[in-house]
């Protein structure tokens, strides 16, 4: 059979033939698929003509398959099964139930309960979506989302780094003072930043997050405080590690408290009252069913945690 003849075989031919073969007669096959028996007989003969060989042996008591018919039944059944599977996959992909979700996450926010709850809810509702998570700073996430390398990210400073992207708030955070608290020694927390004049500070690398640097600088300036920067760290976990090593003080998000080592104490100061949003950020101009599923999981989690 040439390719031109093959193009004349339609999906209905396959379904009609399988119905007749499984029913064992033209009459029973016609009842099974809901068409008149003469019309069904014509369709089967048309299929045999296109293929160039008989598929059925017709008797008064019913039908039986020729060798060609038995072979064609196996292939037709497989094709119909694969087609139905393809249809189901297409529908699930359109609903965001299949595919891949590529997320960036600020390293210090990944362990937080709100983030793990969102991921758990998403996994429960979309178990067949491949989820890939990459620790990444906010500026890098914004650039990767814009380039299409990430589908979304959990980041801060969206308004500074990527105002063209959309965001849904996960939490509001603030900076607190991280300082060494040696076990067995009396701990004295400062009440004002002025008490730390000249003390060594571990600062977040401004080249890796200009918005983070600017936000903290503005808070210090309003307090009339100029930190003495002795070390620079690339991310919040690094800053906390350097504080634990006795390298100096640092400003870190208040939300890091549950993951701080026992030797690091976080102190909230009135002079550092400014808050910033941590959001799930995505490209609202792109119609991504998987991202919409993640947004649904996020809203479900927020309701469960009593957030607005």
């Amino acid at each position: 059979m040439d390719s031109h003849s093959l193009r004349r075989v339609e999906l209905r031919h396959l379904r009609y033939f399988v119905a007749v073969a499984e029913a064992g007669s033209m009459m029973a096959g016609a009842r099974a698929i809901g068409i008149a028996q003469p019309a069904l007989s014509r369709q089967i003969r048309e299929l045999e003509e296109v293929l160039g060989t008989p598929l059925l042996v017709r008797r008064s008591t019913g039908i039986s398959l020729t060798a060609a018919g038995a072979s064609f039944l196996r292939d037709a059944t497989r094709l119909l099964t694969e087609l139905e599977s393809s249809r189901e996959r297409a529908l699930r992909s359109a609903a965001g139930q299949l595919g891949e979700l590529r997320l960036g996450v600020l390293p210090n926010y990944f362990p937080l309960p709100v983030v793990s709850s969102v991921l758990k809810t998403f996994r429960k509702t979309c178990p067949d979506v491949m989820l890939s998570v990459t620790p990444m700073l906010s500026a890098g996430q914004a650039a990767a989302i814009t380039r299409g390398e990430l589908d979304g990210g959990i980041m801060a400073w969206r308004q500074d780094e990527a105002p063209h992207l959309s965001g849904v708030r996960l939490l509001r955070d603030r900076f607190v003072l991280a300082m060494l608290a040696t076990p067995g020694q009396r701990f004295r927390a400062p009440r004002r930043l002025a008490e730390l004049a000249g003390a060594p500070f571990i600062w977040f690398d401004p080249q890796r997050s200009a918005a983070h640097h600017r936000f903290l600088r503005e808070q210090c300036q309003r307090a009339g405080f100029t930190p003495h920067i002795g070390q620079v760290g690339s991310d919040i976990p690094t800053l906390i590690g350097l504080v634990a090593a006795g390298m100096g003080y640092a400003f870190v998000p208040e939300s890091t408290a549950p993951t701080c080592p026992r030797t690091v104490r976080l102190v909230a100061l009135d002079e550092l009252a400014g808050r910033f949003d941590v959001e799930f950020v995505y490209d609202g101009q792109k119609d991504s069913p998987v991202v919409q599923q993640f947004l649904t999981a996020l809203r479900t989690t927020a309701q469960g945690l009593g957030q607005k």
Side-chain angles (χ1 to χ4, degrees):
M1 182 174 58
D2 58 28
S3 60
H4 176 72
S5 298
L6 184 60
R7 286 196 294 270
R8 294 169 56 196
V9 177
E10 299 181 13
L11 183 60
R12 57 186 168 85
H13 289 127
L14 303 183
R15 287 174 173 160
Y16 292 166
F17 171 71
V18 170
V20 170
E22 291 180 346
S25 73
M26 287 290 179
M27 183 179 296
R31 285 198 301 267
I33 56 181
I35 68 171
Q37 181 179 335
L40 177 59
S41 296
R42 285 196 300 271
Q43 295 294 327
I44 299 300
R45 291 193 182 279
E46 182 178 301
L47 175 61
E48 290 175 320
E49 290 173 4
V50 172
L51 295 178
T53 185
L55 300 175
L56 304 175
V57 177
R58 295 158 176 83
R59 300 186 180 91
S60 59
T61 56
I63 61 96
S64 61
L65 296 175
T66 65
S71 175
F72 190 76
L73 177 61
R74 289 191 295 270
D75 291 338
T77 302
R78 175 178 53 80
L79 288 170
L80 290 173
T81 301
E82 290 179 355
L83 181 62
E84 181 59 27
S85 297
S86 296
R87 174 181 174 273
E88 291 178 0
R89 287 193 295 271
L91 291 174
R92 294 185 68 199
S93 294
Q97 296 289 335
L98 283 179
E100 181 182 10
L101 182 65
R102 303 162 300 172
L103 292 181
V105 180
L106 277 169
N108 52 294
Y109 288 104
F110 191 73
L112 295 189
V114 64
V115 175
S116 59
S117 295
V118 171
L119 295 177
K120 188 180 298 182
T121 300
F122 178 76
R123 172 54 65 224
K124 184 177 180 180
T125 56
C126 300
D128 296 323
V129 173
M130 180 180 293
L131 180 63
S132 62
V133 180
T134 304
M136 191 180 298
L137 297 182
S138 295
Q141 288 188 49
I145 294 170
T146 300
R147 292 193 300 264
E149 296 169 1
L150 289 178
D151 300 302
I154 294 173
M155 57 176 280
W157 327 115
R158 175 180 61 89
Q159 294 292 352
D160 296 272
E161 303 288 5
H164 61 286
L165 297 177
S166 301
V168 177
R169 188 170 70 194
L170 279 170
L171 69 149
R172 299 207 78 198
D173 211 344
R174 61 175 290 190
F175 282 104
V176 293
L177 180 70
M179 56 186 297
L180 184 65
T182 304
Q185 294 186 9
R186 182 180 179 184
F187 178 80
R188 178 182 175 277
R191 297 184 177 180
R192 299 192 61 193
L193 289 173
E195 298 176 40
L196 303 175
F201 267 80
I202 307 156
W203 201 257
F204 199 96
D205 187 349
Q207 294 186 357
R208 292 174 63 84
S209 180
H212 181 143
H213 170 78
R214 184 164 52 251
F215 182 89
L216 273 176
R217 278 293 192 185
E218 290 172 353
Q219 295 229 7
C220 289
Q221 287 172 0
R222 281 196 292 269
F225 177 71
T226 301
H228 173 66
I229 300 174
Q231 303 281 338
V232 173
S234 59
D235 54 33
I236 297 299
T238 300
L239 265 63
I240 293 174
L242 290 172
V243 171
M247 298 293 182
Y249 299 87
F251 296 122
V252 302
E254 187 175 38
S255 61
T256 58
T259 58
C260 273
R262 294 176 57 191
T263 54
V264 174
R265 189 76 60 89
L266 302 185
V267 179
L269 299 172
D270 292 339
E271 295 165 309
L272 297 174
R275 292 189 174 270
F276 59 93
D277 290 337
V278 178
E279 302 174 293
F280 170 65
V281 177
Y282 62 102
D283 189 343
Q285 300 301 312
K286 294 181 179 178
D287 183 18
S288 170
V290 175
V291 169
Q292 292 303 316
Q293 285 284 358
F294 192 81
L295 287 168
T296 299
L298 190 154
R299 296 185 181 104
T300 300
T301 301
Q303 292 174 359
L305 295 176
Q307 298 178 7
K308 295 183 179 179

